Amino acid sequence: MDFIIKFAQAHETFRVAEIQALAVIEGIELEILEYNNESPLCLVKLRTEKDAEKLIRRSILAQSVHELWGMGQTLDLLHQSVKNQTSKRWRDYKTTSFKFTIDSYQGAHSNQERLSIINTFDYLPFEGPIRMSQPEETFTVFELWPFNSVPLGIETPDMLYLGRLVGKSSRETVLKFDLKKRGYISTTSMDSELALITANIALAGPGKLFYDPFVGTGSFPIACACFGAMGWGSDIDGRSIRGEGGAKSLRGNFKQYKLDSQLGDVFAADLTNTPIKTDRRIWDGIVCDPPYGVREGLRVLGLRDPQKSPWLIEQGKKDAASPDFVPPKKPYSFLAMLDDILAFAAATLVDRGRLSFWMPTANDEDQEIPVPTHPSLELVVICVQKFNKWSRRLITYSRLPDEMVSAEALTKYENRVVRRTTGTTVDDLNPFRRGYFKKFDLERQQN
């Protein structure tokens, strides 16, 4: 059966990735028939109407799914398509209550024109009552108009579809987790919509363990818990986890949403100094937004030169258990961080577990950092969120079963020259930060 998925007008490059991930979660056979980022509509093939309902029910970017009844470049061709494809099904809806709506993208009609279009479907033998509120069936005429059609005075759309509403999504969940309503956030807390989308793409679900090694105030574990997963996290700065305590803390955020039973644990650590054993494959998913090091340089726990500051080591042994203790940190290479994330994921993800993490890039080919790779991780999808001067990519990998990992590639990877940016300053150790400011300073000089 063919269906129309109606997407929200947001994050176009994430749409198909989320729908494909939801098909994996639900065990559904999905075929994308037609889609481009310029349109809110996606045509898909599914086995049954029930599959369509399951596919859409926890989507964040989709709004609804509709059984495709016909399509055409003109209204007359749409009617012909409807008659050819669905006439045998008309009797199924003969006595049900119904309504017709028109959904125009980049175009507009007057109320009189809309009513006139709806009346052209009077050949359908529907005898049930028309109900504008909560009808049993809703039929929608979708119209795709040329760009800027209203100011250009264009009078007809390029394509029309008729769809019967099958199911609605969980897009309203975005409002529930809106950061403006959350008790405890920071300047780096991930937007609730993108956190939920990330959780979907990473296949978060009931009975799964998800971990964020840069947890901050808990946006990603909360999003994963929303879909039934058990959330875990760590952060180099325990103060971001503890907050002010009570409601103003990461645990307080979980309690706010009544998800505290789905919080595993959180602790202070970083990927290079973690209590998590890397000889056990325990995580179903790892989701994170690593620090970019723009506001300040990247750091890991440790001392740049332990010989010069031995007293700090003794202080750490003495006061490490104190909630006010702030451990010393040393500079950290951006490229080393990317390598460490992939190595940790390869060592701790279960088979087909997913790693989804955000990575920045300047909008310039000369400054773009290549997507990191690991022989045990298969690249699934890259989604891009563009800003004015730079972009960030959500990169998702799947952990390959060991029997699918090339032994030769793994040996070559383990013996490679490690990508460590040399230097001592934050700019030396972070090519993104260096390019970020260098490019913008150059633009200011040119202006």
Side-chain angles (χ1 to χ4, degrees):
M1 298 176 67
D2 293 349
F3 295 87
I4 305 168
I5 295 176
K6 169 67 186 301
F7 286 111
Q9 296 303 306
H11 306 301
E12 290 82 359
T13 67
F14 293 73
R15 293 168 171 173
V16 170
E18 188 198 35
I19 288 296
Q20 290 175 329
L22 294 177
V24 173
I25 291 171
E26 301 289 355
I28 292 170
E29 292 182 12
L30 167 70
E31 180 183 352
I32 306 293
L33 300 177
E34 183 179 317
Y35 174 74
N36 69 76
N37 288 340
E38 306 302 318
S39 169
L41 304 182
C42 177
L43 301 187
V44 301
K45 183 180 290 293
L46 299 164
R47 290 180 299 178
T48 65
E49 183 177 317
K50 189 68 175 177
D51 281 353
E53 293 176 1
K54 291 168 62 179
L55 177 68
I56 207 73
R57 61 187 175 186
R58 57 176 270 186
S59 174
I60 299 302
L61 287 175
Q63 293 178 329
S64 53
V65 62
H66 309 253
E67 181 189 0
L68 179 63
W69 273 40
M71 56 189 293
Q73 294 178 323
T74 66
L75 186 57
D76 288 339
L77 290 175
L78 173 61
H79 287 311
Q80 183 179 334
S81 176
V82 170
K83 293 173 182 177
N84 291 340
Q85 294 184 34
T86 65
S87 59
K88 293 181 180 179
R89 302 199 56 205
W90 294 351
R91 63 180 179 273
D92 296 338
Y93 307 97
K94 186 174 183 179
T95 60
T96 59
S97 61
F98 70 96
K99 75 173 180 180
F100 269 76
T101 65
I102 296 180
D103 187 317
S104 300
Y105 177 64
Q106 299 191 139
H109 289 295
S110 66
N111 288 337
Q112 184 176 356
E113 290 171 336
R114 296 165 75 90
L115 181 59
S116 177
I117 292 171
I118 291 172
N119 285 336
T120 62
F121 291 89
D122 59 4
Y123 56 86
L124 294 171
F126 297 165
E127 298 177 0
I130 298 174
R131 291 181 184 164
M132 300 311 293
S133 177
Q134 296 183 333
E136 294 174 89
E137 300 293 343
T138 299
F139 294 88
T140 303
V141 178
F142 293 100
E143 296 181 335
L144 298 180
W145 291 66
F147 175 72
N148 237 12
S149 60
V150 174
L152 292 176
I154 297 173
E155 297 182 353
T156 57
D158 285 339
M159 181 63 70
L160 301 93
Y161 305 85
L162 178 65
R164 181 182 68 84
L165 179 64
V166 171
K168 295 184 178 180
S169 71
S170 295
R171 184 158 176 77
E172 71 281 354
T173 307
V174 174
L175 300 177
K176 176 183 176 181
F177 291 96
D178 189 347
L179 292 183
K180 295 178 181 177
K181 304 174 184 177
R182 188 171 297 177
Y184 175 57
I185 62 172
S186 71
T187 56
T188 58
S189 295
M190 177 60 73
D191 165 78
S192 63
E193 182 177 27
L194 289 172
L196 291 163
I197 293 167
T198 302
N200 268 340
I201 292 176
L203 310 183
K208 294 184 177 182
L209 302 181
F210 269 68
Y211 173 63
D212 181 355
F214 308 94
V215 71
T217 62
S219 291
F220 286 117
I222 287 171
C224 294
C226 167
F227 296 124
M230 181 71 74
W232 298 69
S234 63
D235 200 282
I236 190 173
D237 190 347
R239 293 171 298 179
S240 66
I241 297 172
R242 297 188 296 270
E244 299 175 13
K248 296 289 185 178
S249 66
L250 184 150
R251 291 183 181 276
N253 284 340
F254 270 79
K255 289 182 180 179
Q256 176 181 340
Y257 300 117
K258 296 180 173 56
L259 294 172
D260 40 312
S261 63
Q262 289 170 246
L263 174 60
D265 203 356
V266 285
F267 50 91
D270 64 49
L271 280 178
T272 63
N273 299 275
T274 178
I276 298 174
K277 293 183 178 180
T278 55
D279 59 351
R280 297 179 63 186
R281 310 265 294 280
I282 58 173
W283 304 121
D284 296 286
I286 298 172
V287 289
C288 60
D289 183 23
Y292 305 154
V294 172
R295 290 187 180 89
E296 59 183 23
L298 294 172
R299 298 283 190 271
V300 290
L301 299 174
L303 298 173
R304 186 181 307 191
D305 189 346
Q307 298 294 331
K308 291 184 178 180
S309 307
W311 61 273
L312 283 174
I313 298 175
E314 294 303 316
Q315 184 185 55
K317 292 179 180 179
K318 177 182 177 183
D319 300 330
S322 170
D324 297 325
F325 175 69
V326 179
K329 303 175 180 67
K330 63 181 180 180
Y332 189 30
S333 162
F334 182 82
L335 298 181
M337 178 183 68
L338 298 181
D339 277 343
D340 289 339
I341 291 172
L342 267 64
F344 178 82
T348 61
L349 281 173
V350 301
D351 287 354
R352 293 303 176 186
R354 288 194 175 186
L355 163 67
S356 289
F357 77 96
W358 290 82
M359 176 178 161
T361 180
N363 294 336
D364 187 319
E365 291 183 2
D366 293 336
Q367 298 184 42
E368 183 170 315
I369 300 170
V371 174
T373 61
H374 190 286
S376 296
L377 299 174
E378 178 183 40
L379 182 63
V380 176
V381 67
I382 300 174
C383 306
V384 181
Q385 181 189 24
K386 290 187 177 181
F387 300 101
N388 186 28
K389 302 291 186 179
W390 63 287
S391 302
R392 61 179 177 181
R393 293 172 282 181
L394 176 63
I395 307 174
T396 300
Y397 306 82
S398 175
R399 200 337 176 155
L400 293 170
D402 286 338
E403 60 269 20
M404 295 182 62
V405 178
S406 167
E408 180 181 353
L410 191 58
T411 300
K412 184 177 179 180
Y413 179 84
E414 292 172 346
N415 294 330
R416 78 197 188 288
V417 176
V418 181
R419 294 191 310 166
R420 307 286 174 175
T421 307
T422 58
T424 57
T425 70
V426 292
D427 279 346
D428 288 338
L429 294 168
N430 190 337
F432 173 72
R433 186 181 195 276
R434 185 170 63 249
Y436 182 95
F437 285 115
K438 181 179 179 181
K439 181 182 180 183
F440 297 165
D441 288 342
L442 179 61
E443 289 179 353
R444 280 194 289 269
Q445 293 173 11
Q446 292 174 342
N447 292 333

